[in-house]
Amino acid sequence: MSFDIIKDIQALKKEKDIAILAHYYEDGPIQDIADHVGDSFFLAKQGQIVPHKNILLAGVVFMAESVKILNPEKTVLVPDSNAGCSLVSGSPYDQYLAWRKQYPDALCVTYINSSAEVKSISDVIITSSNAAQIVGSIPKDRRILFGPDQHLGKWLSKKLDREMIFWPGACEVHVLFNAKRLFQLIQQHPDAVVIAHPECDDSVLQYATVVGSTSRLLDEVKNNPVKKFIVATETGIFHQMKRLRPDVELIQAPVVDEGCACNDCPYMKMNTLEKIKVALTTFKPAIQLDENLRQKAFISLDRMMKITSGQSIQWPERFDG
Ligand code: 13P
Ligand code: SF4
């Protein structure tokens, strides 16, 4: 990695009034040049807080779309417009709409890992860091549709003792963690604390002492005095974990296939410093959203922002889309 490219990015950021926001799954050098690094809720929130006129979101496209939905006046750049997510591609708008229409009296709770179109037909958006708070605020007599991540939904349903109807989506990275091999690893390291992201299958989550968003897992490594963790989430987060706790041993939870690099998210890893420099120079690719769609998607995202900041909201009686 050249020192020049970092200097160039820093100069461009300043000259063009751009804040760089990066997700924990990005490569270390990208996290290091960012103004703020965090989980998907933190990044959506930072988009509203940073004073810069423009934002480059080094993460996946749905994260940048969320920032654009909340801040239409800002130019929101991404390093690579092909940086998708299996949860987004696994919940096409037409099919999600047809599913949603089957339960018009229910409230549709949608994970932020979804397209702007899917957000536009949802009642509220959640992330793994605020899901319990948001679902907990829904009146007990309301039926809940939860999508597109069935594993996050099932974990939440168990945690809150609340029935839900699930969309059958999954994260292609987190479903590869393997419970049988994890069990064997725990036998070899009985002194390790297992931490896992709720996108993992329940068979893996049953072994975890802590289940939470990327920032929750990072907090655990920061604050728990033990010296060894088995980590069931994407590898990018090891960068901050090592920075915060150079004294601990971090062991990657095993995936189905020994020796494969399948706990790297292929979409997050599409981003590079070179692509960031091109985006800052050319102002492309930038997120473009139809204004009518943006306004509809804003409603469900804004409900998430309001509930998490303690404001009261009105739930719709029925879906009439
Ligand atoms: P977090 O909100 O926990 O950062 O998760 C985002 C994500 O895409 C996990 O795969
Ligand atoms: Fe999507 Fe999974 Fe990648 Fe997160 S890790 S962005 S859920 S594919």
Side-chain angles (χ1 to χ4, degrees):
M1 184 220 330
S2 113
F3 180 60
D4 284 350
I5 195 162
I6 293 169
K7 267 192 5 206
D8 292 349
I9 288 172
Q10 275 159 354
L12 282 160
K13 260 181 15 179
K14 211 163 162 191
E15 182 197 324
K16 302 196 174 186
D17 197 19
I18 305 174
I20 298 187
L21 309 181
H23 190 264
Y24 288 130
Y25 293 167
E26 291 300 314
D27 283 332
I30 295 182
Q31 296 188 37
D32 292 344
I33 51 111
D35 297 285
H36 302 280
V37 186
D39 69 10
S40 51
F41 177 64
F42 174 86
L43 297 177
K45 191 98 197 134
Q46 279 304 310
Q48 296 181 303
I49 295 171
V50 291
H52 307 70
K53 257 174 47 201
N54 309 297
I55 291 168
L56 178 134
L57 199 139
V60 287
V61 168
F62 75 78
M63 295 176 175
E65 277 184 355
S66 299
V67 171
K68 183 69 181 175
I69 291 165
L70 293 166
N71 308 278
E73 71 293 354
K74 295 190 181 185
T75 298
V76 181
L77 302 166
V78 288
D80 191 320
S81 56
N82 293 316
C85 168
S86 64
L87 287 164
V88 177
S89 56
S91 53
Y93 171 74
D94 289 350
Q95 290 172 33
Y96 208 82
L97 177 62
W99 176 65
R100 209 260 161 275
K101 278 183 170 171
Q102 284 175 47
Y103 308 95
D105 62 316
L107 285 171
C108 182
V109 178
T110 296
Y111 194 23
I112 198 165
N113 298 38
S114 53
S115 66
E117 286 80 3
V118 160
K119 287 184 176 75
S120 77
I121 51 166
S122 301
D123 294 307
V124 68
I125 303 303
I126 55 97
T127 74
S128 46
S129 66
N130 59 34
Q133 180 191 6
I134 290 176
V135 173
S137 76
I138 296 177
K140 288 274 185 297
D141 60 344
R142 297 300 302 267
R143 206 141 65 133
I144 295 177
L145 292 181
F146 188 95
D149 188 23
Q150 60 177 308
H151 300 294
L152 172 63
K154 286 171 188 167
W155 167 74
L156 200 59
S157 168
K158 221 180 198 178
K159 186 179 163 86
L160 299 176
D161 190 21
R162 189 94 193 242
E163 268 185 42
M164 298 178 192
I165 300 163
F166 304 111
W167 176 267
C171 161
E172 68 179 55
V173 180
H174 286 84
V175 287
L176 294 180
F177 290 110
N178 182 264
K180 194 167 157 219
R181 295 190 63 221
L182 175 60
F183 176 75
Q184 288 160 357
L185 189 69
I186 293 167
Q187 307 311 302
Q188 290 159 27
H189 300 277
D191 51 337
V193 167
V194 180
I195 59 178
H197 196 278
E199 288 172 8
C200 297
D201 188 88
D202 190 45
S203 60
V204 167
L205 297 180
Q206 66 172 324
Y207 294 117
T209 307
V210 174
V211 178
S213 68
T214 48
S215 50
R216 173 69 188 87
L217 302 185
L218 195 59
D219 275 354
E220 189 63 24
V221 171
K222 187 177 165 198
N223 299 320
N224 188 328
V226 300
K227 294 285 186 194
K228 206 185 266 189
F229 294 90
I230 297 174
V231 184
T233 193
E234 212 269 359
T235 53
I237 199 158
F238 283 75
H239 182 66
Q240 298 295 336
M241 288 179 173
K242 283 180 191 152
R243 207 175 57 82
L244 290 170
R245 288 290 305 277
D247 58 314
V248 299
E249 186 183 348
L250 299 168
I251 307 171
Q252 278 184 35
V255 284
V256 192
D257 209 354
E258 205 168 344
C260 87
C262 17
N263 38 12
D264 274 341
C265 171
Y267 312 106
M268 292 279 184
K269 295 322 198 235
M270 281 180 180
N271 298 329
T272 61
L273 289 177
E274 287 74 15
K275 289 181 190 174
I276 290 175
K277 184 178 165 186
V278 171
L280 297 185
T281 308
T282 62
F283 259 56
K284 280 186 198 141
I287 300 292
Q288 307 283 356
L289 289 174
D290 170 79
E291 181 53 17
N292 188 35
L293 167 66
R294 189 202 66 79
Q295 284 181 19
K296 284 185 180 157
F298 177 84
I299 297 170
S300 56
L301 253 182
D302 186 54
R303 281 202 185 102
M304 170 178 91
M305 291 303 183
K306 288 200 166 105
I307 295 169
T308 51
S309 64
Q311 296 176 55
S312 61
I313 56 117
Q314 201 80 31
W315 294 109
E317 287 303 321
R318 279 182 74 77
F319 177 66
D320 51 16

